[in-house]
Amino acid sequence: MSEPHDLNAISNDLFAVRREKLAILREAGEDPFRANWDQSHVAADCPALLPEGAEEGPEVSVAGRIVALRVMGKASFVKLLDRSGVVQCYLTRDALGERYDGHFKKLVDLGDFIGVRGRLFRTKTGEVTVRAAAYGLVSKALRPPPEKFHGLADPEQVYRQRYLDLVANHDSRRRLLTRSRIIESIRRFLWSRGFAEVETPALHGVAGGAAARPFVTHFNALDCDFSLRIALELHLKRCLVGGLDRVFEIGRVFRNEGLSRKHNPEFTMLELYQAYTDYRGMMELIRSLIQQVCREVLGSTTVARAEGGEIDLGGEWREVRYKDLILGRTGDPAWFSRTKEEKIEACRRLGLGEPRPDWEDFEVTNEVFAKLVEPTLIQPTFVTHIPRQLCPLAKLTPDDPDTIDVFELCINGQEIAPAYSEQNDPLEQRRMLEAQAGAETHRIDEDFLLALEHGMPPAGGLGVGVDRLGVLLTGAANIRDTILFPTLRPEVRE
RNA sequence: GGCCCGAUAGCUCAAUGGUAGAGCAGUUGCCUUUUAAGCAAUUGGUUCUGGGUUCGAGUCCCAGUCGGGCCA
């Protein structure tokens, strides 16, 4: 540098310019990273504090990140972003004196955090604004923010540097805060129905409760491997055995499978179990839950889809048997009496890919369901009477031993929530788990079966993919848009 | 894992195989009610990486990295 604090010489290096300003501040004895700033109000409070027609409102003290900075000679407007939103502040030489020119105009940048104290007034265009009697730089930003109009557009940077996305992109901020309010609303609903929120282990000796490959890790102290949980189910049922008749958990589960628009390897499940009810009770519960969340969070039971169109979550929901959906889609009334080979041939005619050779008969049929039926179930639909092989943890339908007492709630072309009349016959449960495990008997959670042998009350159980519910209620296009920090390949920095 | 697409200034984006540009941000001025503020001047590039073709490559070819979409 040719002379001390020659910003012009380094003006192409945005980081260096800001570090230089930091040095100037420190030389002047100022702490550019203060411990605190007393906020009397947040941005969203301000409009209500200035009554219509009033010239001037009360004094407030606000703080936030500068997201807009308009300097007009001896007066400037800044917009501060805090947790509630944005508030405008008006800083002038008249009110601030020499500090306005020497400090504010020279050393405060877009992206810095400042605090502002002053009375509220309304500008010519009607915006409620803080007239700064005093301000302070509370935290300097050494990196420049993204472009102010387009925000951050590169999807990789949006996910890797979500903090920038949250500052720059209003929609992202709104969507991710909505997710938080959805979870808050779910908890309120369940508490009001007498459910206890519990926490169960994430490290499992045997990862059970679903069919998925687990992440495996090693516990040094016991010198043994653990799996990260793939479901919450088996421990919550142990709670039922222990007499906790209504329990739920909202927790992260981990499945060592693909990444896609609909899948993140770690995602959030809500699972709940209610004794002395069955899957029919779960129907009423999930519909009431989703409708209450909609009303509380969105103020409406109608939501827009990213792909266009609307979903109406109000009123009663359609209920239809799995078998009828298959017959309707294949147009073959004798579908279920066909051989596996005939079904595979029919799948080819329907334009489905070649089924894997090791597939069972019911898996061929389920391919039709997953590929050709589920994506068409946009409006809320309870699919019932599902083939028993698809879930070993539910009770058989009393009048149809081929199906189970469950529903699969589909909305927006996706499975949102399955629910069961839970299997509580320990001998039947063992038989079904053994059939599912085949030769891999080490994958059976023996302690869970032992618990069932002590007796579990009849119960309905429900699982909800919270991320997918977030996609549904926020109109997002991608599950990553409702997850703050989605899984990405670790970045290698040199 | 397969196929397709993308990667250019801090950000958003341009650029027939022929001297890499713009807007915003930055720097220097002017500007006391702005709303993507305005005006003037100005700085800023390993065009993702490595090979190749060519007189000449941001552009064409091959391989790789990272990301996105579709499929499995």
Side-chain angles (χ1 to χ4, degrees):
Chain A
M1 212 171 304
S2 55
E3 57 182 84
H5 309 313
D6 181 358
L7 297 181
N8 193 39
I10 52 170
S11 72
N12 61 327
D13 184 343
L14 280 63
F15 186 46
V17 166
R18 287 176 181 235
R19 270 184 324 205
E20 202 54 37
K21 290 179 178 176
L22 189 73
I24 296 169
L25 288 161
R26 288 206 157 119
E27 273 176 35
E30 175 167 352
D31 178 5
F33 299 101
R34 284 197 199 186
N36 200 2
W37 176 272
D38 285 328
Q39 276 176 300
S40 70
H41 296 83
V42 293
D45 297 333
C46 292
L49 295 171
L50 185 60
E52 204 66 43
E55 284 281 302
E56 212 174 46
E59 184 175 273
V60 297
S61 176
V62 295
R65 188 191 288 275
I66 299 176
V67 292
L69 179 57
R70 288 190 276 275
V71 179
M72 302 169 302
K74 300 180 187 65
S76 299
F77 286 97
V78 300
K79 296 217 169 179
L80 300 186
L81 175 68
D82 68 18
R83 65 186 154 89
S84 72
V86 170
V87 63
Q88 179 167 264
C89 303
Y90 183 59
L91 291 81
T92 62
R93 181 171 196 193
D94 285 349
L96 301 168
E98 175 49 32
R99 187 168 154 77
Y100 175 80
D101 293 299
H103 184 274
F104 175 73
K105 280 174 69 177
K106 282 204 165 62
L107 301 173
V108 175
D109 287 307
L110 212 48
D112 291 352
F113 289 86
I114 65 170
V116 174
R117 200 157 35 238
R119 300 178 77 91
L120 291 171
F121 76 108
R122 209 179 303 271
T123 64
K124 272 205 292 207
T125 52
E127 182 161 351
V128 174
T129 300
V130 182
R131 188 191 306 276
Y135 79 94
L137 173 64
V138 295
S139 190
K140 185 84 190 145
L142 294 180
R143 301 277 183 185
E147 200 245 15
K148 63 186 175 187
F149 185 58
H150 300 91
L152 196 61
D154 175 8
E156 181 168 4
Q157 211 173 347
V158 163
Y159 298 137
R160 286 201 196 275
Q161 291 184 280
R162 178 70 90 179
Y163 44 90
L164 295 181
D165 175 54
L166 288 170
V167 172
N169 299 332
H170 253 215
D171 278 355
S172 291
R173 183 184 171 84
R174 178 195 55 80
R175 202 183 308 110
L176 289 159
L177 285 174
T178 298
R179 177 199 169 105
S180 169
R181 294 174 58 215
I182 289 168
I183 291 170
E184 179 186 345
S185 180
I186 289 171
R187 286 205 164 95
R188 230 185 346 257
F189 177 89
L190 292 173
W191 291 337
S192 79
R193 290 205 174 192
F195 281 83
E197 181 169 9
V198 298
E199 291 177 277
T200 66
L203 293 174
H204 287 189
V206 179
R213 281 162 54 199
F215 287 90
V216 178
T217 188
H218 190 76
F219 183 31
N220 293 333
L222 298 184
D223 189 24
C224 65
D225 285 344
F226 275 89
S227 295
L228 297 182
R229 63 186 173 184
I230 57 173
L232 313 177
E233 179 148 0
L234 302 186
H235 284 90
L236 291 176
K237 283 181 172 171
R238 287 171 170 87
C239 293
L240 290 181
V241 169
L244 308 181
D245 285 350
R246 295 187 181 196
V247 290
F248 78 94
E249 179 167 8
I250 294 173
R252 198 72 54 83
V253 299
F254 305 84
R255 296 188 181 176
N256 202 341
E257 296 178 345
L259 269 167
S260 82
R261 216 160 54 85
K262 295 179 180 180
H263 301 87
N264 198 61
E266 52 177 304
F267 61 101
T268 301
M269 289 271 292
L270 160 66
E271 285 196 29
L272 64 89
Y273 294 85
Q274 178 177 343
Y276 312 112
T277 187
D278 57 16
Y279 85 103
R280 310 271 343 160
M282 292 296 100
M283 271 186 192
E284 183 280 325
L285 186 142
I286 185 62
R287 191 167 58 82
S288 298
L289 185 152
I290 288 181
Q291 289 176 347
Q292 173 163 323
V293 168
C294 283
R295 282 190 298 267
E296 284 189 358
V297 176
L298 308 176
S300 161
T301 50
T302 307
V303 296
R305 300 182 72 209
E307 298 85 346
E310 284 190 336
I311 297 172
D312 180 9
L313 296 165
E316 296 292 322
W317 292 351
R318 178 187 177 212
E319 189 179 327
V320 57
R321 293 182 180 217
Y322 182 91
K323 188 181 254 182
D324 294 335
L325 287 169
I326 296 293
L327 298 185
R329 186 61 186 85
T330 60
D332 180 0
W335 176 271
F336 286 93
S337 51
R338 302 283 180 200
T339 64
K340 186 169 108 179
E341 286 65 34
E342 288 170 329
K343 286 171 179 157
I344 290 174
E345 184 51 39
C347 282
R348 286 201 195 92
R349 287 198 304 273
L350 288 165
L352 291 173
E354 187 67 18
R356 277 184 239 160
D358 59 338
W359 272 6
E360 304 285 339
D361 188 277
F362 73 93
E363 289 176 298
V364 179
T365 298
N366 202 49
E367 182 75 355
V368 174
F369 180 80
K371 293 287 160 55
L372 299 177
V373 176
E374 194 177 284
T376 69
L377 299 176
I378 305 302
Q379 302 301 324
T381 304
F382 290 117
V383 180
T384 66
H385 294 75
I386 288 173
R388 63 187 162 85
Q389 298 93 336
L390 288 175
C391 177
L393 295 161
K395 280 186 167 303
L396 298 180
T397 310
D399 57 358
D400 182 355
D402 289 336
T403 68
I404 39 177
D405 246 5
V406 307
F407 68 74
E408 187 71 71
L409 173 61
C410 294
I411 314 178
N412 201 19
Q414 290 185 39
E415 170 191 320
I416 294 284
Y420 313 149
S421 297
E422 300 295 345
Q423 182 56 265
N424 60 348
D425 174 340
L427 303 179
E428 180 64 14
Q429 181 67 89
R430 173 178 292 280
R431 211 180 53 72
M432 296 197 74
L433 287 180
E434 282 175 351
Q436 184 194 43
E440 301 179 80
T441 51
H442 61 279
R443 290 178 52 200
I444 293 177
D445 188 339
E446 286 293 339
D447 182 70
F448 167 65
L449 289 171
L450 176 62
L452 278 197
E453 286 162 12
H454 281 282
M456 184 182 99
L462 173 73
V464 179
V466 172
D467 313 85
R468 288 181 177 185
L469 185 63
V471 167
L472 173 67
L473 298 187
T474 60
N478 191 313
I479 196 167
R480 289 178 187 167
D481 296 331
T482 64
I483 296 175
L484 269 167
F485 302 101
T487 305
L488 295 173
R489 185 179 294 279
E491 199 171 18
V492 182
R493 286 223 178 85
E494 315 215 332

